[in-house]
Every structure is written in C-alpha cells, then in structure tokens.
Amino acid sequence: MCQRVFRNFDPSLRTQEKAVEYVRALNAAKMEKIFARPFVGAMDGHIDSVSCMAKNPNHLKGIFSGSMDGDIRLWDIASRRTICQFPGHQGAVRGLTASTDGHILVSCGTDCTAVDHQCDGNLFATAGAQVDIWDHNRSQPVNSFEWGKDTVISVRFNPGEPNVLATSANDRSIAIYDLRMSSPTTKLIMRTRTNSISWNPMEPMNFTATFGSLFSQKSLIHGSVANEDCSCYSYDARKLDEAKCVHKDHVSAVMDIDYSPTGREFVTGSYDRTIRIFQYNGGHSREIYHTKRMQRVFCVKFSCDGSYVISGSDDANLRLWKANASEQLGVILLYQSGCIITRIPTLLQLLPRERKNHEYREAVKNRYKHLPEVKRIVRHRHLLKPIFKASALRRIMIDAERKKDERRRAHSAPGSIPRESIRKKRIIKEIE
C-alpha cells in the first residue's frame, strides 16, 4: 500500500527553490537545442523547380506538387514517395488546389498565375488578367471580376466565409471580393507588390500578406537587399487602415505563406533560401530552417495535422521538416514476407510520465524566459553566412534611414513632418 507523502511548501523552508528552477530552465533550453533535428528528409523526383503545392483536405498524408516542366505529382509524406503522376500540362504549372472532399484537383498553367478552391462548395477561382469564378460542372466562368489592368498573381478564399476571397496584383494592390454582391468591396494600394496571401483558419477576419518584388531581387551574394520590404503584414479585413502586426526577419522577397490548422502560427518561404515559422502575433520568427543544398523557396505548406512543414524550392526538391524542431521521431517498420521494405518516421507517443516531464520543462523555461541567459539560448539560431551578412547590412540601412528621418525632423518646423507608424507605412491609400 502506498503511503501518502505530505510536503510543506513554505518558502522559508525552501530557500533555494528559485535557484533550482532557474538551473532546470537553463537545462531545458539547452536540451531543446541539443535535440533540435528539424529536417526529416527530401522528396526528389521532379526535374525542374517546384512552383506550387496543394494539400488534400481528405487525406492526411497526401500532398500535391507542381513543377515548371508541367509535372504534377501526389506524394505520400509518410514514405516520402510518389503515389501517382498527372500528365497534361505542356508548360509550367502555376497553381494547384484541391476540393474540400479531396476528390477533385484543379491546376492552372501558363495562361493563369494562381488558383484556389472554395472551402465549402463547388466553386474555384483562377487569377490572371482578371479573376474568374468557375463551377465544376460548367465550361465557362460563372462570374468575372476586373479591377485594374495589371495581372492578378494570388487568390485565396476565406476559410470561414466561402463567398469572400482576397487577391493581390502586380499593381501593388490587395483586393477583397464578395461573391454574394458579385462585386469587389475593398482595395488597398501598397508600396510594394504582394506575392501571397493566407487567411487565418481560426480567425477568418484576419489575413497575412507577404511582400517583396521578385523582379528586382538579385542574388544575396551581391548583397542587394536594399530597396525591398521583406516582411509579412497581418491585417484585419474589417479595419484595413493599418496592420495588426509586422513580422520581420527575412532578408529577401517572401514568396509564399501558409497558416497552421490551429491558426496560432504560419510558415513562410523566401527568396533568401530559408523558411521561417512565426507566431500569428509575433514580430520575429521562432524557427529558421535551411540546408546547404536548398535554393530559393517558392512554396511552403503546413501538413493537415500541423506536425510537419513541406517546402518546395528551385532545386527541384520537396523537403519535409518538423514543425517543432526538438520533437522526437520514432520509426515504424513495414514488413513483407519477413523482410523490412521501408522505414516510416512518425511522431512518438510519449508515456504519461514523459509527457508530464516535458510539460514541466516547458513551463519552467517559459517562466524564466525573460532572464538573459535563458533568453540568449532560446533565441539563438545558426544562420548561413550570406544571410547573416545580409541581415547585418539590412540593420545598418534601417538604422541609417531612421537617423536620417530624425535629423530631418529636428531641423524642420515642429509638426511639419508627421511621424508615420510602421503599421501604416506600407499602405498608400484605401479604395472602396
């Protein structure tokens, strides 16, 4: 029979309690870095750049990918193998999307720039010279929108309101359309081009846009990061006069973005050959992933369960990453006729005692995260040398611009140069 243990938690009797917890917090932060192994494996098979990806909402392990040579593949994430290929495109595949039931895959080629399917319905939208709304059973668009003369490069349906969609165009605009009104509702004119848009699945009124012009981007080796806004901005569709949050850290154009199913974080892929994971309300990334062989990242996706991140890059590879770098992976062995045919990595199911210990370490680390030593260990990330140099150069240029504004304001009449918030700085005007 187990005897009940009585403990006296009087602080006067446990004078070293905070010191012991601080040491445990340090050890927890160090152990997290030791066991951080985010890269799971690469999925090769394409012979040209991976330009787009799409998730199958009805299949947890499936992911579609399209490349610049017109090849479309369905991958099994667990085994990292191609399940099937879909021929048909003669040129580059610009967009992929799957229906909610997972039975229909829609792709667009060089005559369009993007495609997205309605979250709950039979409609999908294509973007190009104009925005066309299509039905599965019709060969002609059921509706068309045109607001401006420039090419629309991104389109996304709202996950909570299927009749609302957002687009971005080459004229640096972000437009919101409502299918119930058969007309556009709002348009923002930005200072730089928006490459991609993603709605928050848990807060459907909020969306995050990625910025940076691809055409003026050059190699990081030449250090050209000067005149580009490489940040992401989160907006509330009900109040578009300023951003809710600015997400910084990339040093080149951000090409794609995707939210986690929980809506608490999102992943971005950039021209600087890295992918980063941000908290939905965080100004800086919590993780940065890169490899020596990975080139410019064109598309990124969270897995349907939020445990993995998939990236597609210019080197014709898809790469599989863990969403939590230090999370443990186990191996499932598949046998056939007494022989091992494959090893499939999967997340380990922790025992109750291990889960309790893990939760305690996270709680202690979170409690002491503001202290300098713990903060230094948690925030440290290893960067590639070109990215490190580009980040330092970008900080110097931002500081120089800030000092220039301060000096101009100091030598001008009081109030003649108003201060402009960084959340409003990227917006030129709003059109309704």
Side-chain angles (χ1 to χ4, degrees), residues 323-343:
N324 295 317
S326 58
E327 198 164 13
Q328 296 182 13
L329 278 180
V331 176
I332 296 178
L333 303 180
L334 296 184
Y335 292 88
Q336 184 176 6
S337 301
C339 298
I340 299 176
I341 59 174
T342 186
R343 294 175 171 84

mmCIF file of all heavy atoms in Angstrom, residues 323-343:
data_model
loop_
_atom_site.group_PDB
_atom_site.id
_atom_site.type_symbol
_atom_site.label_atom_id
_atom_site.label_comp_id
_atom_site.label_asym_id
_atom_site.label_seq_id
_atom_site.Cartn_x
_atom_site.Cartn_y
_atom_site.Cartn_z
ATOM 1 N N ALA A 323 7.555 20.654 -37.475
ATOM 2 C CA ALA A 323 7.104 21.973 -37.054
ATOM 3 C C ALA A 323 7.771 22.375 -35.742
ATOM 4 O O ALA A 323 8.072 23.555 -35.525
ATOM 5 C CB ALA A 323 5.585 22.005 -36.919
ATOM 6 N N ASN A 324 8.000 21.409 -34.859
ATOM 7 C CA ASN A 324 8.754 21.626 -33.625
ATOM 8 C C ASN A 324 10.089 20.905 -33.773
ATOM 9 O O ASN A 324 10.131 19.671 -33.821
ATOM 10 C CB ASN A 324 7.994 21.115 -32.410
ATOM 11 C CG ASN A 324 6.707 21.889 -32.181
ATOM 12 O OD1 ASN A 324 6.694 23.114 -32.282
ATOM 13 N ND2 ASN A 324 5.626 21.188 -31.889
ATOM 14 N N ALA A 325 11.169 21.672 -33.826
ATOM 15 C CA ALA A 325 12.461 21.108 -34.203
ATOM 16 C C ALA A 325 12.940 20.027 -33.252
ATOM 17 O O ALA A 325 13.599 19.074 -33.673
ATOM 18 C CB ALA A 325 13.507 22.221 -34.291
ATOM 19 N N SER A 326 12.629 20.127 -31.963
ATOM 20 C CA SER A 326 13.142 19.172 -30.979
ATOM 21 C C SER A 326 12.163 18.047 -30.666
ATOM 22 O O SER A 326 12.414 17.249 -29.768
ATOM 23 C CB SER A 326 13.501 19.907 -29.680
ATOM 24 O OG SER A 326 12.382 20.580 -29.159
ATOM 25 N N GLU A 327 11.071 17.974 -31.386
ATOM 26 C CA GLU A 327 10.097 16.900 -31.141
ATOM 27 C C GLU A 327 10.678 15.560 -31.565
ATOM 28 O O GLU A 327 11.342 15.460 -32.607
ATOM 29 C CB GLU A 327 8.800 17.186 -31.890
ATOM 30 C CG GLU A 327 7.621 16.404 -31.383
ATOM 31 C CD GLU A 327 6.314 16.993 -31.872
ATOM 32 O OE1 GLU A 327 6.340 17.845 -32.778
ATOM 33 O OE2 GLU A 327 5.255 16.598 -31.360
ATOM 34 N N GLN A 328 10.417 14.523 -30.778
ATOM 35 C CA GLN A 328 11.029 13.219 -31.025
ATOM 36 C C GLN A 328 10.307 12.490 -32.144
ATOM 37 O O GLN A 328 9.084 12.548 -32.265
ATOM 38 C CB GLN A 328 11.001 12.375 -29.753
ATOM 39 C CG GLN A 328 11.823 12.947 -28.612
ATOM 40 C CD GLN A 328 11.807 12.056 -27.391
ATOM 41 O OE1 GLN A 328 11.380 10.915 -27.462
ATOM 42 N NE2 GLN A 328 12.265 12.582 -26.271
ATOM 43 N N LEU A 329 11.090 11.778 -32.944
ATOM 44 C CA LEU A 329 10.564 10.964 -34.034
ATOM 45 C C LEU A 329 10.878 9.501 -33.779
ATOM 46 O O LEU A 329 11.989 9.163 -33.354
ATOM 47 C CB LEU A 329 11.170 11.381 -35.375
ATOM 48 C CG LEU A 329 10.569 12.589 -36.090
ATOM 49 C CD1 LEU A 329 11.313 12.821 -37.392
ATOM 50 C CD2 LEU A 329 9.102 12.394 -36.359
ATOM 51 N N GLY A 330 9.906 8.649 -34.032
ATOM 52 C CA GLY A 330 10.125 7.213 -33.988
ATOM 53 C C GLY A 330 10.109 6.639 -35.389
ATOM 54 O O GLY A 330 9.950 7.354 -36.376
ATOM 55 N N VAL A 331 10.295 5.342 -35.518
ATOM 56 C CA VAL A 331 10.332 4.676 -36.816
ATOM 57 C C VAL A 331 9.388 3.483 -36.793
ATOM 58 O O VAL A 331 9.437 2.645 -35.880
ATOM 59 C CB VAL A 331 11.760 4.204 -37.179
ATOM 60 C CG1 VAL A 331 11.747 3.433 -38.485
ATOM 61 C CG2 VAL A 331 12.702 5.386 -37.275
ATOM 62 N N ILE A 332 8.511 3.418 -37.794
ATOM 63 C CA ILE A 332 7.639 2.267 -37.977
ATOM 64 C C ILE A 332 8.206 1.426 -39.120
ATOM 65 O O ILE A 332 8.458 1.932 -40.215
ATOM 66 C CB ILE A 332 6.196 2.708 -38.302
ATOM 67 C CG1 ILE A 332 5.602 3.486 -37.105
ATOM 68 C CG2 ILE A 332 5.326 1.510 -38.630
ATOM 69 C CD1 ILE A 332 4.203 3.989 -37.362
ATOM 70 N N LEU A 333 8.434 0.157 -38.857
ATOM 71 C CA LEU A 333 8.981 -0.743 -39.868
ATOM 72 C C LEU A 333 7.845 -1.487 -40.557
ATOM 73 O O LEU A 333 6.966 -2.048 -39.905
ATOM 74 C CB LEU A 333 9.938 -1.746 -39.221
ATOM 75 C CG LEU A 333 11.110 -1.153 -38.433
ATOM 76 C CD1 LEU A 333 11.959 -2.271 -37.861
ATOM 77 C CD2 LEU A 333 11.936 -0.238 -39.304
ATOM 78 N N LEU A 334 7.845 -1.476 -41.889
ATOM 79 C CA LEU A 334 6.863 -2.218 -42.672
ATOM 80 C C LEU A 334 7.524 -3.487 -43.206
ATOM 81 O O LEU A 334 8.587 -3.423 -43.835
ATOM 82 C CB LEU A 334 6.345 -1.362 -43.830
ATOM 83 C CG LEU A 334 5.572 -0.083 -43.438
ATOM 84 C CD1 LEU A 334 5.029 0.604 -44.684
ATOM 85 C CD2 LEU A 334 4.430 -0.401 -42.478
ATOM 86 N N TYR A 335 6.897 -4.610 -42.926
ATOM 87 C CA TYR A 335 7.450 -5.911 -43.312
ATOM 88 C C TYR A 335 6.636 -6.506 -44.463
ATOM 89 O O TYR A 335 5.428 -6.308 -44.582
ATOM 90 C CB TYR A 335 7.415 -6.878 -42.128
ATOM 91 C CG TYR A 335 8.353 -6.512 -41.002
ATOM 92 C CD1 TYR A 335 7.946 -5.663 -39.989
ATOM 93 C CD2 TYR A 335 9.649 -7.008 -40.955
ATOM 94 C CE1 TYR A 335 8.798 -5.310 -38.956
ATOM 95 C CE2 TYR A 335 10.512 -6.672 -39.930
ATOM 96 C CZ TYR A 335 10.069 -5.830 -38.932
ATOM 97 O OH TYR A 335 10.918 -5.494 -37.907
ATOM 98 N N GLN A 336 7.313 -7.244 -45.296
ATOM 99 C CA GLN A 336 6.669 -8.013 -46.359
ATOM 100 C C GLN A 336 7.470 -9.297 -46.571
ATOM 101 O O GLN A 336 8.659 -9.245 -46.881
ATOM 102 C CB GLN A 336 6.591 -7.207 -47.658
ATOM 103 C CG GLN A 336 5.830 -7.939 -48.759
ATOM 104 C CD GLN A 336 5.702 -7.068 -49.997
ATOM 105 O OE1 GLN A 336 6.251 -5.991 -50.077
ATOM 106 N NE2 GLN A 336 4.953 -7.556 -50.972
ATOM 107 N N SER A 337 6.826 -10.428 -46.339
ATOM 108 C CA SER A 337 7.465 -11.750 -46.447
ATOM 109 C C SER A 337 8.673 -11.854 -45.528
ATOM 110 O O SER A 337 9.713 -12.414 -45.884
ATOM 111 C CB SER A 337 7.888 -12.026 -47.902
ATOM 112 O OG SER A 337 6.770 -11.979 -48.759
ATOM 113 N N GLY A 338 8.546 -11.300 -44.335
ATOM 114 C CA GLY A 338 9.611 -11.389 -43.350
ATOM 115 C C GLY A 338 10.753 -10.416 -43.537
ATOM 116 O O GLY A 338 11.718 -10.450 -42.788
ATOM 117 N N CYS A 339 10.674 -9.523 -44.550
ATOM 118 C CA CYS A 339 11.757 -8.568 -44.807
ATOM 119 C C CYS A 339 11.235 -7.138 -44.626
ATOM 120 O O CYS A 339 10.063 -6.854 -44.909
ATOM 121 C CB CYS A 339 12.295 -8.733 -46.238
ATOM 122 S SG CYS A 339 12.999 -10.364 -46.550
ATOM 123 N N ILE A 340 12.120 -6.286 -44.162
ATOM 124 C CA ILE A 340 11.770 -4.880 -43.996
ATOM 125 C C ILE A 340 11.776 -4.213 -45.367
ATOM 126 O O ILE A 340 12.767 -4.256 -46.095
ATOM 127 C CB ILE A 340 12.767 -4.170 -43.062
ATOM 128 C CG1 ILE A 340 12.755 -4.822 -41.670
ATOM 129 C CG2 ILE A 340 12.451 -2.688 -42.952
ATOM 130 C CD1 ILE A 340 13.779 -4.249 -40.722
ATOM 131 N N ILE A 341 10.631 -3.599 -45.743
ATOM 132 C CA ILE A 341 10.551 -2.947 -47.053
ATOM 133 C C ILE A 341 10.715 -1.437 -46.941
ATOM 134 O O ILE A 341 11.151 -0.784 -47.884
ATOM 135 C CB ILE A 341 9.230 -3.289 -47.767
ATOM 136 C CG1 ILE A 341 8.027 -2.853 -46.914
ATOM 137 C CG2 ILE A 341 9.163 -4.755 -48.087
ATOM 138 C CD1 ILE A 341 6.705 -3.029 -47.634
ATOM 139 N N THR A 342 10.389 -0.842 -45.807
ATOM 140 C CA THR A 342 10.562 0.601 -45.649
ATOM 141 C C THR A 342 10.517 0.968 -44.177
ATOM 142 O O THR A 342 9.994 0.217 -43.352
ATOM 143 C CB THR A 342 9.474 1.372 -46.418
ATOM 144 O OG1 THR A 342 9.764 2.774 -46.343
ATOM 145 C CG2 THR A 342 8.098 1.132 -45.817
ATOM 146 N N ARG A 343 11.068 2.131 -43.869
ATOM 147 C CA ARG A 343 11.038 2.710 -42.533
ATOM 148 C C ARG A 343 10.328 4.052 -42.621
ATOM 149 O O ARG A 343 10.780 4.933 -43.355
ATOM 150 C CB ARG A 343 12.452 2.888 -41.976
ATOM 151 C CG ARG A 343 13.186 1.587 -41.713
ATOM 152 C CD ARG A 343 14.620 1.862 -41.288
ATOM 153 N NE ARG A 343 15.290 0.655 -40.821
ATOM 154 C CZ ARG A 343 15.879 -0.227 -41.606
ATOM 155 N NH1 ARG A 343 15.869 -0.035 -42.920
ATOM 156 N NH2 ARG A 343 16.473 -1.293 -41.108
#
